[in-house]
Amino acid sequence: MKKRKLTWATYKHLLGRVSHITHDWLTPVDFLPYIDALLGDIDLDPCSTYDANVQFLKAKKIYTLKDDGLNVEDPWTGKTYLFPPTFGRCSFSKKRGTWRWSSKAAGNSKAPSIIWFKRLVREWKLRNIPEALFFTTYPEMIRICPEMWDYPVCILKDRVNTIHGKDFYTLKTPLFWGYFIYLPNLEFGFNQTDKFVDVFSNLGKIIL
């Protein structure tokens, strides 16, 4: 994995030039063993690219930007990992009855993390997804999405070393903070969060 040392001005320029989903940031490779320890084989990543999935997460099924995983009519199924887009906005179309992600949107739009998380929770509540792990670097979600606190959360103690989605490099000085939200397996009616606590307490503060 290549590392790039950049000036702050270059950092800002780089963030502003993220213009396509294939350029977006990917889950830090350091987190992959923890994700694997919690979920094992991942059935679905609804927000990915083929190259990224082959290189890193290796989910059995993915949805790409072209597939529009946010709005696919088929239910999301199986153990799911989700890291939504870190840029752009989601706008709701009354005509279509759906949210659409784009690099730019109107004033009534919402952050992708909020909208993707709501779809994930809906599929989990319908029991299409037995278990899921959500990761985001969007700090405002903590404030404007109170329903996230209905689930176990891991607030990471260090900045996250995300991977550039096109060229697969990391920044020598990470920019983002992040956190995980766990939607537990409710098999037999019990809230099974102990494994999440055991695994992710190595990375940060667990809030139940």
Side-chain angles (χ1 to χ4, degrees), residues 139-160:
E140 282 295 291
M141 186 169 168
I142 292 175
R143 181 179 63 85
I144 62 179
C145 184
E147 56 266 40
M148 66 170 275
W149 300 109
D150 294 337
Y151 309 96
V153 176
C154 175
I155 305 293
L156 299 170
K157 59 186 176 182
D158 297 315
R159 285 190 175 95
V160 298

Side-chain angles (χ1 to χ4, degrees), residues 144-182:
I144 62 179
C145 184
E147 56 266 40
M148 66 170 275
W149 300 109
D150 294 337
Y151 309 96
V153 176
C154 175
I155 305 293
L156 299 170
K157 59 186 176 182
D158 297 315
R159 285 190 175 95
V160 298
N161 206 3
T162 47
I163 304 165
H164 191 270
K166 182 182 179 183
D167 299 319
F168 297 152
Y169 64 81
T170 61
L171 301 177
K172 194 165 185 179
T173 304
L175 289 176
F176 306 110
W177 297 95
Y179 49 94
F180 288 93
I181 305 173
Y182 179 51

Side-chain angles (χ1 to χ4, degrees), residues 73-122:
E73 293 184 3
D74 293 339
W76 295 358
T77 58
K79 288 188 289 185
T80 301
Y81 176 78
L82 174 58
F83 180 17
T86 65
F87 71 103
R89 303 289 289 180
C90 289
S91 298
F92 185 76
S93 168
K94 292 183 179 179
K95 183 177 180 180
R96 295 189 304 259
T98 59
W99 291 89
R100 296 287 179 176
W101 175 91
S102 66
S103 58
K104 297 180 180 180
N108 61 348
S109 61
K110 295 184 181 295
S113 288
I114 303 293
I115 304 305
W116 285 82
F117 180 69
K118 289 179 182 293
R119 170 80 192 252
L120 184 69
V121 170
R122 183 169 74 249

Side-chain angles (χ1 to χ4, degrees), residues 6-196:
L6 305 173
T7 65
W8 174 241
T10 308
Y11 277 143
K12 291 191 294 183
H13 176 71
L14 176 64
L15 293 175
R17 290 294 299 276
V18 174
S19 58
H20 193 277
I21 191 69
T22 57
H23 302 175
D24 202 2
W25 302 99
L26 307 174
T27 303
V29 69
D30 294 346
F31 295 162
L32 297 182
Y34 298 93
I35 296 168
D36 180 68
L38 179 68
L39 297 179
D41 291 339
I42 295 170
D43 297 307
L44 176 66
D45 181 348
C47 182
S48 187
T49 68
Y50 290 111
D51 288 344
N53 190 58
V54 168
Q55 289 285 335
F56 303 108
L57 200 65
K58 297 179 171 62
K60 295 177 183 177
K61 181 177 181 179
I62 67 169
Y63 291 125
T64 65
L65 177 65
K66 183 178 180 180
D67 299 322
D68 191 13
L70 180 61
N71 293 300
V72 290
E73 293 184 3
D74 293 339
W76 295 358
T77 58
K79 288 188 289 185
T80 301
Y81 176 78
L82 174 58
F83 180 17
T86 65
F87 71 103
R89 303 289 289 180
C90 289
S91 298
F92 185 76
S93 168
K94 292 183 179 179
K95 183 177 180 180
R96 295 189 304 259
T98 59
W99 291 89
R100 296 287 179 176
W101 175 91
S102 66
S103 58
K104 297 180 180 180
N108 61 348
S109 61
K110 295 184 181 295
S113 288
I114 303 293
I115 304 305
W116 285 82
F117 180 69
K118 289 179 182 293
R119 170 80 192 252
L120 184 69
V121 170
R122 183 169 74 249
E123 298 286 3
W124 178 79
K125 287 182 175 180
L126 290 170
R127 297 298 183 262
N128 295 324
I129 293 173
E131 184 179 18
L133 186 64
F134 177 90
F135 174 63
T136 184
T137 58
Y138 181 59
E140 282 295 291
M141 186 169 168
I142 292 175
R143 181 179 63 85
I144 62 179
C145 184
E147 56 266 40
M148 66 170 275
W149 300 109
D150 294 337
Y151 309 96
V153 176
C154 175
I155 305 293
L156 299 170
K157 59 186 176 182
D158 297 315
R159 285 190 175 95
V160 298
N161 206 3
T162 47
I163 304 165
H164 191 270
K166 182 182 179 183
D167 299 319
F168 297 152
Y169 64 81
T170 61
L171 301 177
K172 194 165 185 179
T173 304
L175 289 176
F176 306 110
W177 297 95
Y179 49 94
F180 288 93
I181 305 173
Y182 179 51
L183 278 57
N185 191 327
L186 299 179
E187 188 178 7
F188 308 122
F190 294 98
N191 195 331
Q192 301 172 0
T193 60
D194 290 349
K195 190 174 183 180
F196 175 72

